[in-house]
Amino acid sequence: MTARSLIVDTAPLSPGQERLIADEFARPGGVWPELGEPTRLRPIDTGAVLIDGPLDTQALQRAVSALIIRQPALRTRLHRLADTTPIQLVASSLPGQVHHSRLSHGTHPSRETLLAQSQPLHVDPRSDPLFRTHLIRLGEHRHVLLLQIHHFVSDGWSIGILYHDLAELYNAARTGRPADLPPLPRTFAAVSRDMRTERRSPQLRRQLAFWRERLQHLGPAMAFTREPVKHDTGRRPVNVQRVHIPAPAVRGLRASARGGVRGPLAGPFLAALALLLHHQSAATDIRIGMMISNRARPDTEHLIGYFVNTAVIRLRLHPELTAAELTEAANEAVRQALEHQALPIQDLKRDLHQGPDPLYQVTLALNTMRAHTLTVDGADCQDIDMEETGPRTAPTTIEQRWVIEERAGALSGTLTYQAGTFAPPQIRMALGHLDQAIAAVTAGHPTVAAITSAFRHPGVRT
């Protein structure tokens, strides 16, 4: 925000923003850090695009400025009222200056080299811009564009919108024509106000009744380790492993869906993941927290904002259950979750008052909807993988966090796991077992007993 920018809108936090601030920003007891103090908040997300070909930097600047005007979420920051209520403030303007730097001609930059050119990754949502761009010149007709946006105002769906809108605004600015973008009749702040009102509505009370029924008589938590679970609120050591599932395997999963929903990849993938988790823990009551876009409301398809919610996918396994039956159950669980996706997961947790066992220990973000990447007229654009792998610390107690995206028919992403629970060789073995589970789901006929036996004895055919 600048001294000259005016606050043009205020709104309560969206449920997703509430979770983010409670889980990663606030200290124990809800105390907020002072301005400038380090927090546990995850760093700003960075996307990088290699652009080979002529680039009109003035048109890019105009496009970035127009994008900030179009999407109010990019002009939003966090604020706390005198009574400690957190809200979001939307400014009339935000400095949209594209930062520039240069690297040696012919350099093929690494992730670390690119990030060294950018501003610090850790930002404070109360004072720092939550969207920024940086253009790195590698040669006369070779650039890398860094697009950085904080998850306080953005989710996975929003990234596709960001790339699509910026590309269209750039290509329009370059030729002097109007941008061909749909109008945005509502803002993210307006939708956040609706979300707050909906939490007291009959519709969400009906959704709560559904989840109460769906999640009654929960089985014990999955026993991944014999060590006692540590209930702390700080950062914990985790490790990040790349995940890749090739296109032929993905086609097999889609074929196994038999008319399922969400792409229809979610059900079959969840079935395969449930088989892996059953093998790892011996649990038969498998619960996975699946990220849901939560955009069933009108006029949200083209909005940047943090809408995402978590739905609990519960699958119960027994030895004679076939992979086809498990996939059918997963498809139905996803369908029902989509129909009941508006109830904030934190409201459900408060209502259930579950005991020491967590509602879920594994989460899945499966993005099969990002159809857009940056496209610049007259140039070739290629995404650069900016995902960091290896050890780090993170403010999470989730045992496994799968973040998977479909690109060019394949699935690629990361698995973040608790370093105190799993060793890297176990995870590498688990990814091999996931490949076997995907093959079993594609085949459809083997039983859970046969599949897990094949995990233990690789020579056994299912």
Side-chain angles (χ1 to χ4, degrees), residues 1-2 5 68 74-76 91-97 128-131:
M1 307 294 167
T2 68
S5 64
I68 292 172
L74 303 182
R75 297 181 264 116
T76 296
S92 58
S93 62
L94 178 75
Q97 186 67 34
D128 297 326
L130 301 182
F131 172 65

Side-chain angles (χ1 to χ4, degrees), residues 108-123:
H108 187 73
S110 65
R111 172 187 179 276
E112 291 71 24
T113 301
L114 293 175
L115 289 180
Q117 301 292 308
S118 70
Q119 301 170 70
L121 294 182
H122 288 275
V123 303

Side-chain angles (χ1 to χ4, degrees), residues 129-148:
L130 301 182
F131 172 65
R132 60 200 193 193
T133 56
H134 193 115
L135 186 66
I136 303 171
R137 179 184 170 97
L138 305 181
E140 183 180 0
H141 296 305
R142 188 172 173 85
H143 298 79
V144 172
L145 179 62
L146 299 182
L147 298 170
Q148 298 183 307

Side-chain angles (χ1 to χ4, degrees), residues 64-121:
V64 169
S65 299
L67 178 66
I68 292 172
I69 293 172
R70 172 176 168 81
Q71 296 283 355
L74 303 182
R75 297 181 264 116
T76 296
R77 65 178 171 89
L78 173 67
H79 180 69
R80 185 166 60 170
L81 299 175
D83 66 358
T84 73
T85 302
I87 61 172
Q88 50 183 313
L89 302 181
V90 183
S92 58
S93 62
L94 178 75
Q97 186 67 34
V98 178
H99 297 274
H100 292 260
S101 63
R102 182 190 298 264
L103 287 174
S104 301
H105 181 73
T107 299
H108 187 73
S110 65
R111 172 187 179 276
E112 291 71 24
T113 301
L114 293 175
L115 289 180
Q117 301 292 308
S118 70
Q119 301 170 70
L121 294 182

